[in-house]
Amino acid sequence: MAPSISQDLLDVSRQAVPRYTSYPTAPHFSADITAADYGTWLRQTGKAGKPVSLYLHIPFCRTICTYCGCTTKAALRDDPVRAYAAVVHDEIALLHQHLGPVEVSHVHWGGGTPNILPPEVFADLVEDLKTRFRFRPGMEHAIELDPRHVTHEGARHLASLGITRASLGVQTLDAAVQKAIARIQPLERIEASFDALRSAGINRINADLMYGLPLQDLGSIRETVGHVARLRPGRLAVFGYAHVPWMKSHQKLIKDEDLPDAKARYAQARLARDLLVEAGYAEVGIDHFAEPEDDLSLASKAGTLRRNFQGYTTDEAEALIGIGASSISRTPFGYAQNAPDNHGWRRRIEAGELPIVRGRRLEPDDIRRGQVIEDLLCRFETGETAATPEIQDRLAPLARKGWVELTGNRVVIREHHHEIARVVASAFDAYLGAGGRHSAAV
Ligand SMILES: C[S@@+](CC[C@H](N)C(=O)[O-])C[C@H]1O[C@@H](n2cnc3c(N)ncnc32)[C@H](O)[C@@H]1O
Ligand code: SF4
Protein backbone atom coordinates (compact mmCIF):
# COMPACT_ATOMS: atom_id res chain seq x y z
CA MET A 1 0.00 0.00 0.00
CA ALA A 2 1.23 3.53 -0.71
CA PRO A 3 2.56 5.27 2.43
CA SER A 4 0.71 8.33 3.76
CA ILE A 5 1.59 11.72 2.35
CA SER A 6 3.89 13.34 4.91
CA GLN A 7 4.73 17.05 5.10
CA ASP A 8 8.32 16.27 3.93
CA LEU A 9 7.03 14.47 0.86
CA LEU A 10 4.69 17.38 0.12
CA ASP A 11 7.56 19.86 0.38
CA VAL A 12 9.50 17.83 -2.18
CA SER A 13 6.48 17.43 -4.46
CA ARG A 14 6.00 21.23 -4.47
CA GLN A 15 9.47 21.82 -5.92
CA ALA A 16 9.42 23.53 -9.29
CA VAL A 17 11.36 21.32 -11.70
CA PRO A 18 11.30 20.75 -15.47
CA ARG A 19 9.15 18.05 -17.08
CA TYR A 20 12.26 16.66 -18.80
CA THR A 21 10.78 15.93 -22.20
CA SER A 22 14.28 16.90 -23.41
CA TYR A 23 17.69 17.42 -21.83
CA PRO A 24 18.97 20.10 -21.84
CA THR A 25 15.49 21.56 -21.48
CA ALA A 26 14.13 24.27 -23.81
CA PRO A 27 14.96 27.29 -21.55
CA HIS A 28 18.63 26.38 -22.12
CA PHE A 29 18.47 26.50 -25.89
CA SER A 30 20.32 29.48 -27.37
CA ALA A 31 20.36 31.55 -30.55
CA ASP A 32 23.86 30.19 -31.29
CA ILE A 33 22.21 27.36 -33.19
CA THR A 34 21.23 28.60 -36.64
CA ALA A 35 19.37 27.34 -39.69
CA ALA A 36 22.79 26.48 -41.20
CA ASP A 37 23.62 24.20 -38.23
CA TYR A 38 20.24 22.53 -38.41
CA GLY A 39 20.58 22.09 -42.20
CA THR A 40 23.89 20.26 -41.64
CA TRP A 41 22.33 18.05 -38.96
CA LEU A 42 19.42 17.20 -41.26
CA ARG A 43 21.72 16.26 -44.13
CA GLN A 44 23.78 14.05 -41.83
CA THR A 45 20.56 12.48 -40.50
CA GLY A 46 19.35 11.81 -44.06
CA LYS A 47 22.70 10.26 -45.05
CA ALA A 48 22.71 7.95 -41.99
CA GLY A 49 19.81 6.12 -43.66
CA LYS A 50 17.91 5.41 -40.42
CA PRO A 51 14.17 6.03 -40.11
CA VAL A 52 13.00 9.32 -38.56
CA SER A 53 9.86 10.41 -36.73
CA LEU A 54 7.80 13.44 -37.66
CA TYR A 55 5.86 15.78 -35.35
CA LEU A 56 3.48 18.29 -36.97
CA HIS A 57 2.25 21.16 -34.80
CA ILE A 58 -1.15 22.70 -35.58
CA PRO A 59 -1.44 25.71 -33.23
CA PHE A 60 -5.15 26.51 -33.53
CA CYS A 61 -8.27 25.74 -31.49
CA ARG A 62 -11.85 26.99 -31.81
CA THR A 63 -11.71 28.41 -28.28
CA ILE A 64 -8.99 28.51 -25.65
CA CYS A 65 -9.45 26.48 -22.45
CA THR A 66 -8.35 28.55 -19.45
CA TYR A 67 -5.94 25.86 -18.16
CA CYS A 68 -4.20 25.32 -21.49
CA GLY A 69 -0.41 25.22 -21.41
CA CYS A 70 0.03 24.38 -25.11
CA THR A 71 1.24 26.75 -27.83
CA THR A 72 -1.98 27.55 -29.65
CA LYS A 73 -4.39 30.36 -30.49
CA ALA A 74 -8.09 30.74 -31.20
CA ALA A 75 -9.28 30.52 -34.81
CA LEU A 76 -13.02 30.88 -35.23
CA ARG A 77 -12.77 30.68 -39.02
CA ASP A 78 -10.81 28.29 -41.27
CA ASP A 79 -8.86 30.96 -43.24
CA PRO A 80 -5.88 31.24 -40.86
CA VAL A 81 -5.75 27.45 -40.58
CA ARG A 82 -5.66 27.06 -44.38
CA ALA A 83 -3.00 29.77 -44.69
CA TYR A 84 -0.92 27.99 -42.03
CA ALA A 85 -1.26 24.63 -43.82
CA ALA A 86 0.03 26.21 -47.04
CA VAL A 87 3.22 27.20 -45.19
CA VAL A 88 3.50 23.69 -43.69
CA HIS A 89 3.66 22.37 -47.30
CA ASP A 90 6.58 24.75 -47.94
CA GLU A 91 8.32 23.61 -44.76
CA ILE A 92 7.91 19.96 -45.77
CA ALA A 93 9.53 20.79 -49.13
CA LEU A 94 12.44 22.54 -47.38
CA LEU A 95 13.00 19.61 -45.03
CA HIS A 96 12.90 17.22 -47.96
CA GLN A 97 15.67 19.21 -49.68
CA HIS A 98 17.95 18.51 -46.71
CA LEU A 99 16.82 15.06 -45.57
CA GLY A 100 16.11 13.45 -48.92
CA PRO A 101 13.48 10.69 -49.16
CA VAL A 102 14.07 9.29 -45.65
CA GLU A 103 12.02 6.48 -44.20
CA VAL A 104 9.48 7.62 -41.58
CA SER A 105 8.65 5.25 -38.71
CA HIS A 106 6.22 7.43 -36.72
CA VAL A 107 4.06 10.48 -37.41
CA HIS A 108 2.35 12.53 -34.68
CA TRP A 109 -0.05 15.45 -35.24
CA GLY A 110 -0.28 17.64 -32.16
CA GLY A 111 -1.33 21.08 -31.14
CA GLY A 112 -3.52 22.88 -30.53
CA THR A 113 -6.20 20.85 -32.18
CA PRO A 114 -5.14 19.11 -35.40
CA ASN A 115 -8.75 18.05 -36.11
CA ILE A 116 -9.43 21.73 -36.81
CA LEU A 117 -7.80 21.20 -40.24
CA PRO A 118 -10.49 21.06 -42.95
CA PRO A 119 -10.65 17.45 -44.29
CA GLU A 120 -9.21 18.19 -47.74
CA VAL A 121 -6.42 20.32 -46.23
CA PHE A 122 -5.43 17.48 -43.91
CA ALA A 123 -5.57 14.97 -46.80
CA ASP A 124 -3.26 17.17 -48.93
CA LEU A 125 -0.73 17.43 -46.08
CA VAL A 126 -0.68 13.65 -45.54
CA GLU A 127 -0.32 13.11 -49.29
CA ASP A 128 2.55 15.59 -49.44
CA LEU A 129 4.39 13.80 -46.63
CA LYS A 130 3.85 10.41 -48.28
CA THR A 131 5.12 11.68 -51.61
CA ARG A 132 8.32 13.20 -50.24
CA PHE A 133 9.18 10.64 -47.57
CA ARG A 134 8.76 6.87 -47.33
CA PHE A 135 6.16 5.87 -44.74
CA ARG A 136 7.19 2.54 -43.20
CA PRO A 137 4.37 0.00 -43.69
CA GLY A 138 2.41 -0.47 -40.47
CA MET A 139 3.97 2.62 -38.86
CA GLU A 140 2.17 4.48 -36.09
CA HIS A 141 0.30 7.55 -37.40
CA ALA A 142 -1.15 9.38 -34.41
CA ILE A 143 -3.27 12.49 -33.89
CA GLU A 144 -4.45 14.53 -30.88
CA LEU A 145 -8.19 15.21 -31.06
CA ASP A 146 -10.49 17.54 -29.20
CA PRO A 147 -13.52 15.28 -28.47
CA ARG A 148 -15.88 18.23 -28.89
CA HIS A 149 -15.11 18.11 -32.62
CA VAL A 150 -14.98 14.35 -33.30
CA THR A 151 -17.68 13.09 -35.67
CA HIS A 152 -18.32 9.74 -37.39
CA GLU A 153 -17.57 11.31 -40.75
CA GLY A 154 -14.39 12.95 -39.47
CA ALA A 155 -13.18 9.70 -37.89
CA ARG A 156 -13.81 7.77 -41.15
CA HIS A 157 -11.81 10.40 -43.00
CA LEU A 158 -8.88 10.09 -40.58
CA ALA A 159 -8.96 6.29 -40.92
CA SER A 160 -8.99 6.57 -44.72
CA LEU A 161 -5.76 8.62 -44.51
CA GLY A 162 -4.02 5.96 -42.45
CA ILE A 163 -4.41 7.34 -38.92
CA THR A 164 -3.81 4.43 -36.53
CA ARG A 165 -3.95 6.12 -33.10
CA ALA A 166 -6.00 8.95 -31.62
CA SER A 167 -5.51 10.79 -28.37
CA LEU A 168 -8.61 12.39 -26.84
CA GLY A 169 -8.41 15.31 -24.40
CA VAL A 170 -10.92 14.23 -21.73
CA GLN A 171 -9.32 16.04 -18.74
CA THR A 172 -12.33 15.83 -16.38
CA LEU A 173 -15.99 14.83 -16.53
CA ASP A 174 -16.99 17.00 -13.55
CA ALA A 175 -19.44 19.64 -14.82
CA ALA A 176 -18.34 22.27 -12.24
CA VAL A 177 -14.66 21.79 -13.13
CA GLN A 178 -15.46 21.89 -16.84
CA LYS A 179 -17.18 25.24 -16.29
CA ALA A 180 -14.17 26.55 -14.35
CA ILE A 181 -11.81 25.63 -17.23
CA ALA A 182 -14.15 26.85 -20.00
CA ARG A 183 -14.40 23.44 -21.59
CA ILE A 184 -17.84 21.87 -21.63
CA GLN A 185 -17.88 18.26 -22.84
CA PRO A 186 -20.40 15.95 -21.16
CA LEU A 187 -19.85 12.19 -20.83
CA GLU A 188 -22.15 11.57 -23.83
CA ARG A 189 -19.77 13.61 -26.03
CA ILE A 190 -16.78 11.57 -24.87
CA GLU A 191 -18.67 8.30 -25.42
CA ALA A 192 -19.68 9.47 -28.89
CA SER A 193 -16.01 10.24 -29.72
CA PHE A 194 -14.87 6.75 -28.65
CA ASP A 195 -17.71 5.25 -30.65
CA ALA A 196 -16.92 7.29 -33.79
CA LEU A 197 -13.23 6.32 -33.68
CA ARG A 198 -13.90 2.63 -33.06
CA SER A 199 -16.62 2.44 -35.73
CA ALA A 200 -14.09 3.88 -38.18
CA GLY A 201 -11.54 1.22 -37.21
CA ILE A 202 -9.29 3.50 -35.11
CA ASN A 203 -9.04 1.22 -32.09
CA ARG A 204 -5.84 2.53 -30.56
CA ILE A 205 -7.16 5.28 -28.33
CA ASN A 206 -5.43 7.33 -25.62
CA ALA A 207 -7.30 9.50 -23.16
CA ASP A 208 -5.70 12.49 -21.41
CA LEU A 209 -6.93 13.15 -17.87
CA MET A 210 -5.86 15.90 -15.49
CA TYR A 211 -5.66 16.48 -11.75
CA GLY A 212 -5.04 19.70 -9.82
CA LEU A 213 -7.63 21.61 -11.90
CA PRO A 214 -9.74 24.36 -10.26
CA LEU A 215 -12.53 22.95 -8.05
CA GLN A 216 -11.32 19.39 -8.63
CA ASP A 217 -11.56 17.04 -5.63
CA LEU A 218 -11.23 13.33 -4.91
CA GLY A 219 -14.91 12.72 -5.70
CA SER A 220 -14.57 14.20 -9.16
CA ILE A 221 -11.38 12.21 -9.84
CA ARG A 222 -13.21 9.02 -8.80
CA GLU A 223 -16.15 9.82 -11.08
CA THR A 224 -13.98 10.72 -14.10
CA VAL A 225 -11.62 7.77 -13.79
CA GLY A 226 -14.57 5.41 -13.28
CA HIS A 227 -16.32 6.53 -16.47
CA VAL A 228 -13.16 6.64 -18.57
CA ALA A 229 -11.89 3.23 -17.40
CA ARG A 230 -15.26 1.79 -18.51
CA LEU A 231 -14.70 3.25 -21.99
CA ARG A 232 -11.43 1.27 -21.98
CA PRO A 233 -8.89 3.38 -23.89
CA GLY A 234 -5.70 1.34 -24.45
CA ARG A 235 -3.63 4.11 -22.88
CA LEU A 236 -4.17 7.00 -20.49
CA ALA A 237 -2.09 9.95 -19.42
CA VAL A 238 -2.86 11.66 -16.11
CA PHE A 239 -1.26 15.11 -16.11
CA GLY A 240 -0.96 17.41 -13.12
CA TYR A 241 -2.27 20.85 -14.06
CA ALA A 242 0.79 23.08 -14.65
CA HIS A 243 -0.22 26.54 -13.45
CA VAL A 244 2.18 28.95 -15.16
CA PRO A 245 0.21 32.23 -15.52
CA TRP A 246 3.47 34.16 -16.04
CA MET A 247 3.84 32.24 -19.33
CA LYS A 248 0.18 31.65 -20.24
CA SER A 249 -1.77 34.78 -19.42
CA HIS A 250 -5.22 33.15 -20.01
CA GLN A 251 -4.47 30.99 -16.92
CA LYS A 252 -4.96 34.20 -14.89
CA LEU A 253 -8.70 33.54 -15.42
CA ILE A 254 -8.29 30.61 -13.00
CA LYS A 255 -8.75 31.84 -9.46
CA ASP A 256 -5.95 30.88 -7.07
CA GLU A 257 -8.49 30.09 -4.35
CA ASP A 258 -10.13 27.47 -6.60
CA LEU A 259 -6.89 25.52 -7.05
CA PRO A 260 -6.28 22.38 -4.94
CA ASP A 261 -3.24 22.76 -2.65
CA ALA A 262 -0.14 20.55 -2.81
CA LYS A 263 -1.62 17.94 -0.49
CA ALA A 264 -4.85 17.72 -2.45
CA ARG A 265 -2.91 17.46 -5.74
CA TYR A 266 -0.82 14.61 -4.40
CA ALA A 267 -3.90 12.78 -3.12
CA GLN A 268 -5.66 13.26 -6.49
CA ALA A 269 -2.66 11.89 -8.42
CA ARG A 270 -2.49 8.88 -6.11
CA LEU A 271 -6.22 8.18 -6.26
CA ALA A 272 -6.22 8.33 -10.08
CA ARG A 273 -3.28 5.93 -10.13
CA ASP A 274 -4.82 3.50 -7.62
CA LEU A 275 -8.14 3.43 -9.48
CA LEU A 276 -6.49 2.83 -12.83
CA VAL A 277 -4.32 0.05 -11.45
CA GLU A 278 -7.46 -1.45 -9.83
CA ALA A 279 -9.16 -1.24 -13.23
CA GLY A 280 -6.37 -3.41 -14.69
CA TYR A 281 -4.06 -0.80 -16.23
CA ALA A 282 -0.28 -1.03 -15.86
CA GLU A 283 1.68 2.03 -14.72
CA VAL A 284 4.03 3.40 -17.35
CA GLY A 285 6.55 6.04 -16.28
CA ILE A 286 5.39 8.81 -13.97
CA ASP A 287 2.04 9.68 -15.51
CA HIS A 288 1.00 7.12 -18.14
CA PHE A 289 -1.07 3.95 -17.88
CA ALA A 290 -1.73 1.25 -20.45
CA GLU A 291 -3.46 -2.09 -20.89
CA PRO A 292 -0.95 -4.76 -19.81
CA GLU A 293 -0.65 -6.13 -23.36
CA ASP A 294 -0.27 -2.66 -24.94
CA ASP A 295 3.11 -1.96 -26.61
CA LEU A 296 3.76 0.85 -24.11
CA SER A 297 3.35 -1.50 -21.11
CA LEU A 298 5.49 -4.13 -22.81
CA ALA A 299 8.22 -1.54 -23.51
CA SER A 300 8.02 -0.36 -19.90
CA LYS A 301 8.44 -3.94 -18.65
CA ALA A 302 11.24 -4.67 -21.10
CA GLY A 303 13.10 -1.47 -20.14
CA THR A 304 12.89 -0.04 -23.67
CA LEU A 305 10.44 2.79 -22.93
CA ARG A 306 11.53 6.20 -24.28
CA ARG A 307 10.55 9.77 -23.42
CA ASN A 308 10.27 12.58 -25.96
CA PHE A 309 8.40 15.88 -26.40
CA GLN A 310 5.05 14.04 -26.58
CA GLY A 311 5.71 12.14 -23.33
CA TYR A 312 6.27 8.38 -23.15
CA THR A 313 6.67 6.46 -26.38
CA THR A 314 7.87 3.24 -27.95
CA ASP A 315 9.34 5.25 -30.81
CA GLU A 316 13.01 4.34 -31.18
CA ALA A 317 13.97 6.74 -33.98
CA GLU A 318 17.07 8.80 -33.17
CA ALA A 319 15.71 11.85 -34.98
CA LEU A 320 12.35 13.52 -34.36
CA ILE A 321 11.72 16.25 -36.91
CA GLY A 322 9.34 19.00 -35.76
CA ILE A 323 7.24 20.79 -38.38
CA GLY A 324 5.18 23.93 -37.72
CA ALA A 325 5.59 27.04 -35.58
CA SER A 326 7.29 26.48 -32.18
CA SER A 327 8.01 22.80 -32.82
CA ILE A 328 11.28 21.35 -31.56
CA SER A 329 13.41 18.85 -33.47
CA ARG A 330 15.83 16.42 -31.94
CA THR A 331 18.69 14.95 -33.98
CA PRO A 332 21.65 12.90 -32.72
CA PHE A 333 23.66 16.14 -32.97
CA GLY A 334 21.40 18.53 -31.10
CA TYR A 335 18.03 20.24 -30.66
CA ALA A 336 16.61 22.95 -32.89
CA GLN A 337 13.44 24.98 -32.31
CA ASN A 338 11.30 26.68 -34.95
CA ALA A 339 10.22 30.31 -34.50
CA PRO A 340 7.47 30.19 -31.83
CA ASP A 341 5.15 32.75 -33.43
CA ASN A 342 3.26 31.95 -36.62
CA HIS A 343 4.36 35.17 -38.37
CA GLY A 344 8.07 34.74 -37.66
CA TRP A 345 7.90 31.08 -38.70
CA ARG A 346 6.09 31.94 -41.91
CA ARG A 347 8.45 34.81 -42.86
CA ARG A 348 11.51 32.57 -42.57
CA ILE A 349 9.98 29.78 -44.65
CA GLU A 350 8.78 32.22 -47.32
CA ALA A 351 12.38 33.45 -47.54
CA GLY A 352 13.41 29.85 -48.29
CA GLU A 353 15.09 29.29 -44.89
CA LEU A 354 14.69 26.62 -42.24
CA PRO A 355 12.74 28.58 -39.56
CA ILE A 356 15.13 27.83 -36.65
CA VAL A 357 15.53 30.48 -33.94
CA ARG A 358 17.40 28.57 -31.23
CA GLY A 359 18.69 25.20 -30.21
CA ARG A 360 21.41 23.33 -28.46
CA ARG A 361 24.34 21.30 -29.73
CA LEU A 362 24.64 18.10 -27.68
CA GLU A 363 27.97 17.78 -25.88
CA PRO A 364 29.06 14.36 -24.53
CA ASP A 365 28.18 15.48 -20.97
CA ASP A 366 24.64 16.46 -22.10
CA ILE A 367 24.15 13.07 -23.75
CA ARG A 368 25.33 11.26 -20.63
CA ARG A 369 23.14 13.27 -18.24
CA GLY A 370 20.18 13.12 -20.66
CA GLN A 371 20.40 9.31 -20.69
CA VAL A 372 20.45 9.17 -16.86
CA ILE A 373 17.42 11.49 -16.68
CA GLU A 374 15.55 9.38 -19.26
CA ASP A 375 16.47 6.23 -17.26
CA LEU A 376 15.04 7.78 -14.08
CA LEU A 377 11.78 8.90 -15.72
CA CYS A 378 11.27 5.68 -17.70
CA ARG A 379 12.78 3.00 -15.44
CA PHE A 380 13.13 4.76 -12.04
CA GLU A 381 16.76 3.75 -11.79
CA THR A 382 20.12 4.70 -13.20
CA GLY A 383 23.06 2.64 -14.40
CA GLU A 384 25.92 1.66 -12.11
CA THR A 385 28.09 4.72 -12.65
CA ALA A 386 25.58 7.57 -12.77
CA ALA A 387 25.82 9.46 -9.48
CA THR A 388 29.03 11.34 -8.73
CA PRO A 389 29.78 12.12 -5.04
CA GLU A 390 28.32 15.62 -5.58
CA ILE A 391 25.04 14.19 -6.92
CA GLN A 392 24.95 11.63 -4.09
CA ASP A 393 25.20 14.55 -1.62
CA ARG A 394 22.27 16.25 -3.34
CA LEU A 395 20.19 13.08 -3.11
CA ALA A 396 21.21 12.19 0.45
CA PRO A 397 18.16 13.88 2.09
CA LEU A 398 15.83 11.82 -0.17
CA ALA A 399 17.82 8.66 0.62
CA ARG A 400 17.58 9.34 4.38
CA LYS A 401 13.79 9.45 4.03
CA GLY A 402 13.88 6.07 2.28
CA TRP A 403 12.43 7.47 -0.95
CA VAL A 404 15.52 6.72 -3.04
CA GLU A 405 18.19 4.09 -2.65
CA LEU A 406 21.85 4.92 -3.27
CA THR A 407 23.95 1.84 -3.93
CA GLY A 408 27.42 2.91 -4.90
CA ASN A 409 26.89 5.24 -7.84
CA ARG A 410 23.50 3.80 -8.75
CA VAL A 411 20.22 5.51 -7.86
CA VAL A 412 16.89 3.71 -7.54
CA ILE A 413 13.60 5.48 -6.80
CA ARG A 414 11.66 3.26 -4.40
CA GLU A 415 8.25 1.88 -5.27
CA HIS A 416 5.39 4.23 -4.26
CA HIS A 417 7.70 7.23 -4.66
CA HIS A 418 7.91 7.26 -8.45
CA GLU A 419 5.98 10.56 -8.42
CA ILE A 420 9.12 12.39 -7.33
CA ALA A 421 11.14 11.13 -10.33
CA ARG A 422 11.34 14.68 -11.79
CA VAL A 423 12.89 15.93 -8.54
CA VAL A 424 15.42 13.07 -8.48
CA ALA A 425 16.21 13.68 -12.16
CA SER A 426 16.83 17.36 -11.41
CA ALA A 427 19.83 16.35 -9.24
CA PHE A 428 21.54 15.36 -12.51
CA ASP A 429 20.61 18.58 -14.33
CA ALA A 430 23.74 20.70 -14.78
CA TYR A 431 21.68 23.73 -15.85
CA LEU A 432 19.06 23.77 -13.08
CA GLY A 433 18.67 27.21 -11.55
CA ALA A 434 20.32 28.90 -14.53
CA GLY A 435 17.05 30.23 -15.92
CA GLY A 436 13.52 29.02 -16.63
CA ARG A 437 10.59 28.85 -14.19
CA HIS A 438 8.80 25.56 -13.83
CA SER A 439 5.60 24.07 -12.42
CA ALA A 440 5.29 21.85 -9.30
CA ALA A 441 6.78 18.34 -9.57
CA VAL A 442 3.47 16.68 -8.57
C1 LIG B 1 -2.75 19.66 -27.28
S1 LIG B 1 -3.74 19.12 -25.97
C2 LIG B 1 -4.83 17.85 -26.60
C3 LIG B 1 -5.63 17.99 -27.86
C4 LIG B 1 -6.83 18.87 -27.86
N1 LIG B 1 -6.42 20.24 -28.08
C5 LIG B 1 -7.66 18.79 -26.61
O1 LIG B 1 -7.52 19.66 -25.78
O2 LIG B 1 -8.46 17.86 -26.52
C6 LIG B 1 -2.63 18.06 -25.11
C7 LIG B 1 -2.91 17.75 -23.65
O3 LIG B 1 -2.11 18.55 -22.81
C8 LIG B 1 -2.67 18.57 -21.51
N2 LIG B 1 -2.55 19.93 -20.99
C9 LIG B 1 -2.93 21.08 -21.56
N3 LIG B 1 -2.65 22.14 -20.75
C10 LIG B 1 -2.06 21.63 -19.65
C11 LIG B 1 -1.53 22.22 -18.45
N4 LIG B 1 -1.55 23.51 -18.23
N5 LIG B 1 -0.99 21.39 -17.53
C12 LIG B 1 -0.94 20.05 -17.73
N6 LIG B 1 -1.42 19.45 -18.85
C13 LIG B 1 -1.97 20.22 -19.79
C14 LIG B 1 -4.12 18.15 -21.64
O4 LIG B 1 -4.33 16.93 -20.98
C15 LIG B 1 -4.30 18.01 -23.13
O5 LIG B 1 -5.17 16.97 -23.47
S1 SF4 C 1 -6.44 22.15 -24.16
FE1 SF4 C 1 -6.57 21.58 -26.29
S2 SF4 C 1 -8.48 22.57 -27.04
FE2 SF4 C 1 -7.99 23.54 -25.10
S3 SF4 C 1 -6.85 25.37 -25.72
FE3 SF4 C 1 -5.35 23.75 -25.24
S4 SF4 C 1 -4.88 22.78 -27.15
FE4 SF4 C 1 -6.77 23.96 -27.43
Side-chain angles (χ1 to χ4, degrees), residues 61 63-65 67-68 112-113 146 148 183:
C61 300
T63 56
I64 300 298
C65 317
Y67 65 89
C68 183
T113 300
D146 181 337
R148 293 170 297 177
R183 183 177 175 119

Side-chain angles (χ1 to χ4, degrees), residues 19 61 65 67-70 110-114 144-148 167-171 183 208-210 239-243 251:
R19 300 184 79 85
C61 300
C65 317
Y67 65 89
C68 183
C70 309
T113 300
E144 293 170 14
L145 300 175
D146 181 337
R148 293 170 297 177
S167 185
L168 291 169
V170 178
Q171 331 304 2
R183 183 177 175 119
D208 289 345
L209 303 183
M210 290 178 71
F239 297 123
Y241 167 49
H243 189 55
Q251 290 187 347

Side-chain angles (χ1 to χ4, degrees), residues 66 104 123 321 336 350 429:
T66 53
V104 172
I321 308 299
E350 283 175 353
D429 185 342

